[in-house]
Amino acid sequence: MDKLLAHAYNESTANAKKGKPNSASDSGIRDKFPLSFLFPLFLFVSLFMLLPLMLGGVKVDVSVNKYVVSINDQLTLTLRISDSSRLNISEPPAPAVNLFSFRNMTSSSSSSVSIQGGKMVSVYSHNYSYIYFPQKEGQTSIPSFTVRVNNQDYKTRPIDISIIASTTNSTQPRQSSPAFPGRDPFGFTIPNDWNGDSSTSGNTMLIALPENQYVYQGFPAVVSYYLYTDEMVRSFNLEDEKDYEGYGKSTFEQPTMLNYEEVRYQGRNYKRALIKRLAIIPNKDGNLQAPQMQGIARLYNFGYLNKDLKSSGGAIVVRPLPREKQPAGFSGAVGNFKVSHSVSKTELALGEALTFTLKIQGRGNYNRFSAPVFIAGKGFQASSAVVMDNLNAGIDGTRTYYYTLIPQTKGELRLPELPFAWFDHDQGEFRSFVMPEQVIQVKAANVLSYLNRIWEPQSPRTMHPRLKRDKYPVYKAYPSQAWYWVPVLLIVIFCLLISVLSYNVKLKRKSPELYAQRQAGRILQRYMKHATVAAENLSTEFYPLAEKALFDYLATKYKLANHLSTEEKISNLREKSIPLELIAEMQSFLQSCQQARFMPEADRAINLREDLELLQRIIAGFSRIKNNGVKR
Amino acid sequence: MKRLAFLLFMLLVLWLPVAAQVDSLAADADVHNADYYYNKAVDYFASGNHGYANLYYLKALRLNTAHKYARANLDLAIRMSPDSKLYPERLFLVRVLFQGLDFLSVNRLAMLSLVLLLLTALSLAWLLFYDPDKERALPILSLALLGILCLSSFSLLGVKSYRQRHNQLAVLIAGNEQLLPLSDTATKPLAEIHAGLIVTIMETKGEYVIVRLPNGQVGKLPAKAIAKV
């Protein structure tokens, strides 16, 4: 069951004090530095001092296994305390929760060391789990309670819980009555002197059962660790598990509470509760010893006291498997299995697929044998198996293999053999799965049957295996990379360019005069720009630039050859019906240009502004005239 | 014209550091490779951890929707899961459409868009410089078709890129979990769901997230019970 972590806030009044400034030192510094400088400095120092608290420090988390609990269910409140240094914790008493009765408490501790950024980081943590049973339906809240860690108090936050009516009729196991009759020791008036050291006259022990057992190699031996007592044991904390050689193990069952049952052991009456159940899978034959558990039992005897316990028993004698008569298809399966099979259909068309299911139920070493494989070449193409496990501790439950079979020819086909054999532990002999002869009718294919793979999504296929890759290059989406947008940009620019070019071509073809006029305008603009700048700067370069701009403009607009003299160009313009006033103005301007060439440099700039205005007037006059001389 | 070219050039220059930053962020996050995620998913599935297996299959598909092995394994895992009935059965044509969209991963779509843009540009050039005395229906048709395809392709690319960056899918990683009603007063669970179920995150509210199941049912789950893709 996943836990729903609820972050608690850790409040430490002692830590908060660290952030306070030292008033004495402040006054000393204030004399040397201005106040405006002191405040940011103080802020920085305060933050720097609080940095270790923000980055690390004691962390106290509380969580519950569920926020909505049915009346038949149980609530587990988990308190986790962690820090980078060893913890000194006063074991926190279970908080009293309205509508719940407290039943049990377990604790565990762990430490880990990791290297982060070249630095060794240690984490020490303590977990306390409190088990509660709901008493009646309603809304309640686990109150905030105080935990004392390293002589500082931390408060947890309250958690709201809803208790609802049972959704099922199933009755979940609940902790039975305590081992010792009398007053309820699980009330909330728990004394704090749990660690009292008084001795008791009763008997409490931890026993691994069966104390001796015989198994065949590979078969999982289940060892149960029971707490036997004739005293009143309030709780039991499992502290350690000592392992021995020659086996692999997994946890088969671990109750979260002490469920007592009455038993008779060695001539005495005891109550016993299961602590843990392990599945031991022997790797070798001979004598093995199951892991030894160590823990502390809390006894109540007019006060609480601890008792250290170590488990006894749990010897396993492992017999080797018989070497003779090993059947084909034996791949190491040992167990008490029940094997069955099924096929999804017995009639199909070529191109269709059928699903063969092999189900293995029972207890055995499921992790030690591989999936059986169909014998090839029997008219079917078989996939490798898809495995679905529903196992407890990997030893008990059901394993299902799914195969997809595709017929390769039409007709009456028999399913290929699927050799699977195992060693039956209880019978002490090898057994084989024998598939009864089953005929599959395969019809001729049609178009639809080829489409059936798409139409029939329910038929299982093979699970694809891992891909062999030497390295994994980092995935980069092309649109997030610059190089991708370079060709996009170039193509867009290309489109714009060809659009402009095409427009000009079209204009030149449809209206050559307009085109020439626009070209002339562009040229004029270019030269006039230089001439205007020269005029504004009172530069003597104005006249040559202006003259050139004017002639280039006229050459483009009226197709005047450049090799003609000024007189010849003017006479050409007269022939094009240009107004005489405009030609006169142009002549006047050209004359000014001629004169400026022979003037001393100091005198050239005198009429610059007037001549610029004249030039602009001339150009404007020409612009208003169409190429044929008609005014617009 | 010069100004436009300059503007486009500046856009490109400004885009370079942004793109580089996006790349570096992607590189820092994880190995960030579809095959890597796929292999992790296969390992998780083999170890019986179907929740994380589905999570990593989805991570692989998020990077590359055309990863056929991840798609096939995820489909199979979904069909085998106890919540398989929660997934809607799609019509054949819808399924084909989705398969087609999956085939067009972001990078494939990006290249396709680029090719279509180039063809559109060539088609435009063809039309603009086409002999004016001839019938121009063919270049107009080709330009219109390619233009539509190009626009659709870039639009789809935008949508896929957005979804790749803002994926709202999540997977239930806890063993079994109760889907709780949205109302705080109602306490009866809506459904019991199992590890590996793919949900869509709609909103996060404190320690809970409001999710939509594949069958459209909406409820809330503890945030710790799910892992976002």
Side-chain angles (χ1 to χ4, degrees):
Chain A
M1 184 83 64
D2 259 35
K3 292 184 175 175
L4 317 174
L5 282 178
H7 291 289
Y9 53 87
N10 14 359
E11 278 184 359
S12 167
T13 49
N15 287 341
K17 284 176 186 171
K18 287 183 184 175
K20 288 187 177 176
N22 186 326
S23 59
S25 59
D26 264 4
S27 60
I29 294 167
R30 202 179 292 124
D31 297 335
K32 294 175 186 174
F33 298 100
L35 199 64
S36 59
F37 178 74
L38 276 178
F39 179 71
L41 183 71
F42 162 70
L43 198 68
F44 176 75
V45 171
S46 304
L47 286 172
F48 188 75
M49 285 170 73
L50 286 169
L51 199 63
L53 289 176
M54 289 187 276
L55 294 177
V58 176
K59 196 177 174 189
V60 179
D61 288 336
V62 281
S63 63
V64 288
N65 63 335
K66 48 185 76 175
Y67 293 102
V68 180
V69 188
S70 74
I71 197 78
N72 283 345
D73 214 339
Q74 68 178 34
L75 177 78
T76 305
L77 171 69
T78 304
L79 171 68
R80 179 182 159 83
I81 304 162
S82 60
D83 192 16
S84 55
S85 58
R86 288 191 184 279
L87 292 162
N88 176 18
I89 305 170
S90 300
E91 191 172 274
V97 184
N98 193 22
L99 305 184
F100 279 94
S101 73
F102 172 68
R103 269 295 170 256
N104 195 13
M105 192 269 282
T106 59
S107 69
S108 63
S109 60
S110 64
S111 63
S112 66
V113 179
S114 61
I115 295 173
Q116 292 175 7
K119 215 175 165 186
M120 198 171 279
V121 178
S122 306
V123 177
Y124 297 87
S125 67
H126 279 255
N127 286 341
Y128 296 92
S129 295
Y130 305 92
I131 313 291
Y132 292 86
F133 285 155
Q135 297 300 303
K136 60 180 181 179
E137 295 168 33
Q139 295 279 339
T140 186
S141 162
I142 299 173
S144 168
F145 58 100
T146 306
V147 183
R148 191 159 182 80
V149 186
N150 298 342
N151 295 322
Q152 287 181 11
D153 287 337
Y154 294 83
K155 272 192 170 181
T156 64
R157 67 162 200 172
I159 300 173
D160 292 331
I161 302 291
S162 302
I163 306 171
I164 58 170
S166 172
T167 50
T168 59
N169 291 328
S170 65
T171 51
Q172 299 218 350
R174 306 184 73 157
Q175 180 162 312
S176 58
S177 59
F180 189 78
R183 61 171 274 212
D184 179 10
F186 304 115
F188 291 108
T189 53
I190 298 167
N192 280 327
D193 55 342
W194 285 4
N195 295 321
D197 203 18
S198 61
S199 59
T200 65
S201 57
N203 200 5
T204 300
M205 54 201 163
L206 196 58
I207 301 173
L209 295 178
E211 290 179 283
N212 293 292
Q213 64 176 313
Y214 299 88
V215 292
Y216 281 99
Q217 189 178 342
F219 186 76
V222 175
V223 179
S224 305
Y225 294 84
Y226 282 99
L227 178 75
Y228 278 74
T229 184
D230 56 3
E231 300 171 284
M232 193 169 66
V233 178
R234 180 188 172 279
S235 65
F236 179 80
N237 289 343
L238 199 53
E239 297 281 326
D240 196 14
E241 197 169 308
K242 188 181 173 187
D243 281 314
Y244 297 93
E245 284 185 351
Y247 56 80
K249 67 171 184 179
S250 59
T251 302
F252 189 75
E253 189 182 353
Q254 189 165 14
T256 54
M257 66 196 89
L258 298 175
N259 288 313
Y260 287 105
E261 58 184 349
E262 287 188 17
V263 289
R264 193 163 177 80
Y265 181 70
Q266 293 179 342
R268 291 184 64 181
N269 288 328
Y270 284 97
K271 284 206 169 192
R272 75 172 188 180
L274 179 69
I275 301 299
K276 195 170 188 178
R277 190 165 279 157
L278 290 178
I280 309 288
I281 302 178
N283 294 328
K284 61 177 188 181
D285 51 23
N287 293 326
L288 298 181
Q289 174 60 48
Q292 188 185 45
M293 301 286 171
Q294 294 181 8
I296 300 170
R298 286 210 170 83
L299 313 181
Y300 182 76
N301 187 11
F302 303 107
Y304 283 89
L305 58 94
N306 291 341
K307 190 169 190 178
D308 291 331
L309 296 175
K310 283 184 182 177
S311 66
S312 60
I316 304 168
V317 179
V318 183
R319 296 170 178 162
L321 294 179
R323 291 189 178 179
E324 62 277 5
K325 293 181 183 176
Q326 276 196 3
F330 178 72
S331 63
V334 180
N336 298 321
F337 294 134
K338 185 182 168 190
V339 182
S340 59
H341 81 286
S342 63
V343 286
S344 61
K345 56 177 103 172
T346 53
E347 281 189 18
L348 68 165
L350 266 178
E352 292 178 4
L354 67 87
T355 304
F356 180 90
T357 309
L358 182 73
K359 189 181 270 187
I360 302 170
Q361 285 175 289
R363 179 176 293 184
N365 57 348
Y366 285 95
N367 295 332
R368 301 289 176 94
F369 62 90
S370 53
V373 179
F374 272 102
I375 292 174
K378 298 281 185 178
F380 282 94
Q381 183 190 345
S383 72
S384 55
V386 177
V387 187
M388 296 297 285
D389 281 339
N390 183 14
L391 300 171
N392 181 14
I395 63 160
D396 198 21
T398 306
R399 171 171 285 181
T400 313
Y401 294 108
Y402 295 95
Y403 299 86
T404 301
L405 296 175
I406 301 169
Q408 293 173 313
T409 56
K410 62 177 182 176
E412 285 189 355
L413 299 182
R414 277 158 186 79
L415 284 178
E417 287 176 48
L418 183 66
F420 175 66
W422 70 98
F423 183 78
D424 192 304
H425 183 266
D426 286 358
Q427 301 292 327
E429 60 184 19
F430 287 101
R431 295 182 65 185
S432 296
F433 166 67
V434 182
M435 190 159 58
E437 194 172 278
Q438 189 148 17
V439 176
I440 306 293
Q441 296 280 350
V442 183
K443 298 174 194 165
N446 53 44
V447 178
L448 278 179
S449 63
Y450 284 108
L451 288 173
N452 264 6
R453 286 188 187 189
I454 307 168
W455 283 101
E456 291 179 11
Q458 299 305 324
S459 63
R461 301 277 184 273
T462 311
M463 213 61 159
H464 294 283
R466 280 175 65 91
L467 298 172
K468 286 179 184 171
R469 295 282 183 270
D470 295 330
K471 57 180 180 178
Y472 297 103
V474 174
Y475 167 83
K476 286 176 181 173
Y478 295 161
S480 67
Q481 291 180 279
W483 67 260
Y484 176 78
W485 295 101
V486 174
V488 173
L489 199 63
L490 290 175
I491 293 170
V492 171
I493 292 171
F494 169 73
C495 287
L496 292 171
L497 282 175
I498 60 167
S499 301
V500 172
L501 196 62
S502 156
Y503 175 74
N504 285 337
V505 168
K506 194 177 169 185
L507 190 67
K508 195 175 178 181
R509 190 171 57 236
K510 285 193 170 177
S511 175
E513 288 175 3
L514 186 60
Y515 175 75
Q517 203 172 349
R518 286 191 181 177
Q519 286 293 98
R522 277 192 209 110
I523 290 164
L524 180 68
Q525 202 180 12
R526 191 162 65 226
Y527 283 110
M528 275 299 288
K529 201 172 164 185
H530 297 305
T532 310
V533 171
E536 282 172 358
N537 294 336
L538 299 176
S539 167
T540 51
E541 291 296 311
F542 168 73
Y543 289 104
L545 284 170
E547 200 177 356
K548 185 169 172 43
L550 184 60
F551 280 129
D552 280 347
Y553 172 70
L554 295 174
T556 314
K557 188 167 183 179
Y558 297 105
K559 296 190 172 51
L560 298 178
N562 277 331
H563 61 82
L564 296 176
S565 67
T566 307
E567 291 303 321
E568 285 169 334
K569 284 175 182 170
I570 289 170
S571 67
N572 269 353
L573 287 172
R574 281 199 184 104
E575 287 168 12
K576 292 182 186 291
S577 310
I578 305 294
L580 293 174
E581 310 88 64
L582 191 59
I583 291 176
E585 277 184 336
M586 194 180 89
Q587 277 180 315
S588 165
F589 178 75
L590 290 173
Q591 203 173 358
S592 299
C593 292
Q594 290 289 337
Q595 285 171 354
R597 275 186 204 154
F598 304 104
M599 272 186 190
E601 278 203 17
D603 297 337
R604 279 187 208 171
I606 294 170
N607 295 325
L608 265 181
R609 291 193 190 282
E610 287 173 14
D611 289 336
L612 177 64
E613 283 172 13
L614 178 62
L615 177 64
Q616 285 170 340
R617 216 163 45 237
I618 294 166
I619 298 296
F622 275 108
S623 303
R624 282 195 291 271
I625 299 167
K626 283 192 174 180
N627 284 20
N628 53 13
V630 180
K631 259 192 174 181
R632 277 188 281 179
Chain B
M1 192 64 208
K2 279 180 188 169
R3 283 179 189 169
L4 183 67
F6 178 74
L7 186 70
L8 291 171
F9 177 75
M10 285 309 291
L11 275 174
L12 178 65
V13 168
L14 289 172
W15 176 253
L16 276 170
V18 176
Q21 196 181 4
V22 168
D23 287 349
S24 65
L25 281 174
D28 289 347
D30 206 337
V31 173
H32 221 60
N33 179 287
D35 289 343
Y36 171 77
Y37 287 139
Y38 167 79
N39 282 345
K40 276 190 90 166
V42 172
D43 291 344
Y44 273 120
F45 190 86
S47 67
N49 194 336
H50 295 186
Y52 275 99
N54 285 7
L55 177 72
Y56 278 96
Y57 283 135
L58 284 173
K59 275 178 186 278
L61 290 170
R62 182 185 159 200
L63 294 190
N64 181 10
T65 52
H67 200 292
K68 59 181 180 182
Y69 298 119
R71 176 72 57 193
N73 281 8
L74 179 65
D75 286 347
L76 193 54
I78 286 172
R79 287 204 300 273
M80 300 289 181
S81 74
D83 294 320
S84 59
K85 286 179 182 171
L86 293 178
Y87 294 88
E89 273 296 314
R90 289 191 180 127
L91 296 172
F92 175 70
L93 286 178
V94 178
R95 215 156 55 231
V96 169
L97 176 70
F98 273 92
Q99 282 176 2
L101 288 175
D102 287 342
F103 176 77
L104 293 172
S105 62
V106 168
N107 284 354
R108 279 182 182 171
L109 204 54
M111 295 315 293
L112 178 69
S113 304
L114 200 59
V115 171
L116 283 171
L117 183 66
L118 181 66
L119 290 175
T120 309
L122 292 174
S123 169
L124 178 70
W126 185 32
L127 175 67
L128 291 176
F129 296 101
Y130 200 69
D131 188 346
D133 300 329
K134 288 185 181 173
E135 173 61 48
R136 302 189 334 150
L138 185 62
I140 288 172
L141 182 69
S142 68
L143 177 65
L145 282 176
L146 286 167
I148 290 167
L149 283 174
C150 182
L151 277 177
S152 310
S153 177
F154 270 104
S155 305
L156 191 59
L157 178 63
V159 171
K160 284 206 126 184
S161 297
Y162 180 83
R163 286 173 67 96
Q164 193 178 49
R165 286 175 188 281
H166 303 91
N167 197 317
Q168 290 300 308
L169 288 181
V171 177
L172 184 70
I173 50 171
N176 293 337
E177 200 60 54
Q178 292 168 339
L179 182 73
L180 301 172
L182 294 179
S183 163
D184 290 334
T185 52
T187 50
K188 192 179 175 186
L190 296 172
E192 177 150 332
I193 50 180
H194 306 86
L197 181 69
I198 301 165
V199 297
T200 307
I201 295 176
M202 298 173 73
E203 198 182 340
T204 304
K205 277 189 176 179
E207 293 168 354
Y208 283 93
V209 281
I210 297 174
V211 297
R212 190 175 60 236
L213 303 191
N215 63 355
Q217 195 172 20
V218 177
K220 64 180 179 182
L221 285 172
K224 296 281 178 186
I226 61 169
K228 206 176 167 190
V229 176

